[in-house]
Amino acid sequence: MSYQVMLVENNLLPLPDKLCTELGIDVGDILIFEIADDRTALVARKHTDQTLDDEQLATAGNMARVVSNKTE
């Protein structure tokens, strides 16, 4: 299974609700990003350790926490 999502302004990667539901991704989850072997795609998957703090994420350099961009 693969999906194509384009970066938007400020290099944000939008994850539509439908996609998150299908992949089991929730707000607060930590994702790890890797360049695909053929260097044409960025592969994202849930990191095995969901307890990392923001400093650890910044140090890793290839991880991000899923945040909501909805204003309610």
Side-chain angles (χ1 to χ4, degrees), residues 1-2 4 6-8 10 13 21 27 30 36 40-41 45 49 53 55 61:
M1 142 178 36
S2 69
Q4 183 174 352
M6 305 297 282
L7 292 174
V8 296
N10 296 325
L13 181 66
T21 300
V27 170
I30 297 171
T40 62
R45 59 184 166 79
D49 183 357
D53 62 30
E55 185 176 322

Side-chain angles (χ1 to χ4, degrees), residues 6-29:
M6 305 297 282
L7 292 174
V8 296
E9 187 177 335
N10 296 325
N11 289 325
L12 295 177
L13 181 66
L15 299 173
D17 289 341
K18 182 179 179 182
L19 177 61
C20 288
T21 300
E22 189 171 325
L23 298 177
I25 298 171
D26 296 308
V27 170
D29 283 349

Side-chain angles (χ1 to χ4, degrees), residues 40-58:
T40 62
L42 187 62
V43 177
R45 59 184 166 79
K46 269 187 167 180
H47 187 48
T48 54
D49 183 357
Q50 292 290 310
T51 65
L52 301 177
D53 62 30
D54 290 340
E55 185 176 322
Q56 292 169 310
L57 290 178

Side-chain angles (χ1 to χ4, degrees), residues 59-72:
T59 301
N62 65 334
M63 294 184 208
R65 188 177 315 278
V66 176
V67 298
S68 176
N69 68 343
K70 294 179 183 177
T71 55
E72 296 182 44

